[in-house]
């Protein structure tokens, strides 16, 4: 079992930055690929970014490519999502997720474990 807790959300003006963290506990975190998803009011949960167990492979949604960076520190059993040049359309609840496979994945159904979410609000 893996427990995930997100932090770092908040209110920021357009063009600003936030860094989300996802602290993991439980089984060996380094064996798990991670992902970030987000869900805006009235919309479905959507993929944001994913990273392999080693950190050597990453992938992003087109809407965040070039602005967001996913990373992880297996020694600290924590994952991160650095978000720069934020836009109002980035406003959502952000969730981190882990899957009991080492390779990246792009759909929510491929992840076994989820955090409770953290709110990100970007004002115009």
């Amino acid at each position: 079992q893996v427990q995930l807790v997100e932090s770092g959300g908040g209110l920021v003006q357009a063009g600003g930055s936030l860094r989300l963290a996802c602290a993991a506990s439980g089984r060996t975190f380094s064996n798990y690929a991670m992902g970030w998803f987000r869900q805006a009011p009235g919309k479905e949960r959507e993929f944001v970014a994913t990273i392999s167990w080693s950190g050597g492979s990453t992938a992003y949604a087109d809407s965040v490519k070039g602005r967001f960076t996913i990373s992880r520190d297996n020694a600290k059993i924590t994952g991160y999502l650095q978000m720069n040049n934020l836009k109002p359309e980035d406003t959502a609840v952000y969730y981190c997720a882990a899957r009991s496979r080492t390779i990246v994945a792009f759909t929510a159904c491929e992840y076994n474990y989820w955090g409770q979410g953290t709110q990100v609000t970007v004002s115009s």
Side-chain angles (χ1 to χ4, degrees):
Q1 192 77 5
V2 174
Q3 293 81 41
L4 304 173
V5 178
E6 302 97 334
S7 61
L11 173 65
V12 64
Q13 288 188 332
S17 299
L18 284 174
R19 189 192 195 200
L20 305 183
C22 176
S25 61
R27 290 190 172 182
T28 306
F29 182 62
S30 60
N31 293 335
Y32 289 72
M34 276 190 62
W36 286 93
F37 291 76
R38 65 187 182 187
Q39 187 166 17
K43 295 187 176 182
E44 293 187 353
R45 190 169 299 190
E46 65 173 0
F47 165 76
V48 175
T50 181
I51 187 167
S52 63
W53 71 277
S54 66
S57 178
T58 60
Y60 299 89
D62 288 343
S63 59
V64 307
K65 201 172 294 183
R67 299 188 298 122
F68 290 12
T69 303
I70 190 171
S71 62
R72 64 191 296 162
D73 185 335
N74 288 339
K76 296 182 179 179
I77 54 173
T78 302
Y80 303 96
L81 185 68
Q82 177 67 43
M83 305 186 296
N84 297 329
N85 190 22
L86 282 160
K87 304 176 181 180
E89 50 265 43
D90 294 318
T91 295
V93 176
Y94 283 72
Y95 298 90
C96 72
R99 65 192 298 257
S100 51
R101 297 284 300 274
T102 59
I103 59 176
V104 299
F106 300 88
T107 59
C109 64
E110 296 179 272
Y111 289 82
N112 308 95
Y113 307 103
W114 292 83
Q116 83 289 349
T118 185
Q119 176 70 46
V120 171
T121 303
V122 184
S123 62
S124 57

